[in-house]
Amino acid sequence: MPFISVIVPLYNKVSYIRNALISIMDQTFTDFEILVVNDASTDDSIFVVEEFLSEKVKIIHHEKNKGLAAARNTGIKNATSNFITYLDADDVWKPTFLEHIFTLTKEFPDAKIFATNYEEIWETTLKTPFNGSENLAPNFKGYIDFFALNLKQGIYCHGSVCFHKSVFEKVGLYNEDIQFSEDLDFNIRANYHFKLAYSNSPQMIYFMQTSNQITNSSIKNKTIPNFDLYEDWAKNLPNLKRYLDFERYVLGKRLKKCGDSRWKKVISPIHKENLNWKQTFLLSLPTFMLLTIDSIKILLLKFNIKISTYN
């Protein structure tokens, strides 16, 4: 049995999947299996994967496209290891990612969630995310409170995290009914019940502007997480309430930009003290101004300037 199972959801990523798989195969820690879940790709992605097939690398096929949550769930159900991690087909790991995860599992035995920091690529520009990691020492390794620190961009992304299989046994799998931000819903359940061990060393590179990327597509009329489900948990956990309100802000603003009227319902439970003044101001702006600000942010990135309400 390998120490760790690597799940690679795949849907029409022919231009990227090779680099993703190479970044896994080049890991300094080699006790792993790779499960590529082909979510009914219609391009030549699968032919690239077939070049890598071995005892370490297997393909699992969906007969029809089921979405990212279902692809992850299929991988989890077929994994043979006690530890499960993911890499999306359009992202890459640095060579020591799995080594860092392995070290976290040994040094912090009370944790069941293990994660590292990451970096972003905007076209050709490498940027550090505004994700709360700046509040930690550059060489930090240890337990962190996910809900207290995770009030900007994600303190980890789903390409820089690993879960012990007991997490899925306790909280269940990804909600396949959610079509956008199913990872946020799962993160709430997982981090409510289990400790997170974190390394502030960026060990994964997240490509922000690739084709067919869910996070760049419209979410109008898509099924979204229901953060109200977790309000009872938050009654005695102020950090969770603040986190839920922050994610409501992010989701509500995105819905508003898409012209989806659900944005008002999403933000209605927010306690205003849980947002900063920039976030409150943005929620009050009309859609065209929010879209204009987005265009300005993308333009500034070309000059290596990144602005955010998070900093």
Side-chain angles (χ1 to χ4, degrees), residues 280-299:
T280 302
F281 174 68
L282 285 179
L283 283 180
S284 70
L285 294 178
T287 299
F288 81 92
M289 290 190 68
L290 291 174
L291 294 174
T292 300
I293 290 171
D294 280 354
S295 298
I296 293 172
K297 289 169 65 175
I298 295 297
L299 178 63

Side-chain angles (χ1 to χ4, degrees), residues 8-27:
V8 182
L10 174 63
Y11 178 69
N12 289 357
K13 298 291 184 181
V14 66
S15 300
Y16 309 99
I17 183 61
R18 184 184 303 278
N19 286 338
L21 290 176
I22 288 173
S23 78
I24 303 172
M25 300 301 293
D26 285 348
Q27 290 294 298

Side-chain angles (χ1 to χ4, degrees), residues 35-206:
L35 302 176
V36 179
V37 182
N38 174 33
D39 197 25
S41 294
T42 58
D43 65 3
D44 290 335
S45 297
I46 199 63
F47 298 115
V48 177
V49 177
E50 288 174 348
E51 300 174 20
F52 291 83
L53 290 183
S54 67
E55 291 186 0
K56 270 186 178 292
V57 185
K58 300 177 178 64
I59 304 175
I60 304 169
H61 296 280
H62 282 174
E63 293 184 3
K64 62 179 182 179
N65 182 261
K66 297 181 180 181
L68 182 57
R72 286 180 178 150
N73 287 344
T74 294
I76 294 164
K77 293 173 185 176
N78 286 273
T80 64
S81 308
N82 286 327
F83 295 91
I84 295 172
T85 187
Y86 320 91
L87 184 65
D88 286 350
D90 51 2
D91 297 320
V92 296
W93 284 338
K94 294 184 179 180
T96 53
F97 170 73
L98 289 182
E99 183 179 331
H100 275 71
I101 294 296
F102 176 75
T103 299
L104 289 173
T105 67
K106 298 305 179 185
E107 294 185 0
F108 304 98
D110 290 338
K112 297 297 182 184
I113 309 170
F114 312 90
T116 77
N117 205 348
Y118 59 97
E119 294 171 324
E120 300 172 339
I121 290 278
W122 293 84
E123 294 185 349
T124 59
T125 303
L126 187 69
K127 300 294 292 183
T128 301
F130 293 130
N131 67 349
S133 62
E134 65 274 11
N135 297 318
L136 302 171
N139 61 347
F140 173 86
K141 281 195 302 181
Y143 298 107
I144 63 171
D145 183 333
F146 175 85
F147 300 119
L149 200 59
N150 196 43
L151 296 171
K152 300 183 179 183
Q153 292 175 252
I155 191 68
Y156 62 73
C157 65
H158 251 59
S160 71
V161 66
C162 172
F163 299 98
H164 190 272
K165 69 176 183 180
S166 59
V167 175
F168 305 104
E169 293 167 354
K170 173 69 175 179
V171 309
L173 301 177
Y174 293 84
N175 186 339
E176 296 182 17
D177 292 330
I178 299 176
Q179 298 170 307
F180 182 82
S181 290
E182 72 290 327
D183 54 337
L184 296 184
D185 174 78
F186 182 81
N187 280 336
I188 293 169
R189 289 183 275 136
N191 284 277
Y192 179 77
H193 289 285
F194 295 98
K195 290 184 178 181
L196 165 63
Y198 186 76
S199 168
N200 203 17
S201 175
Q203 291 295 312
M204 177 262 185
I205 299 176
Y206 184 20

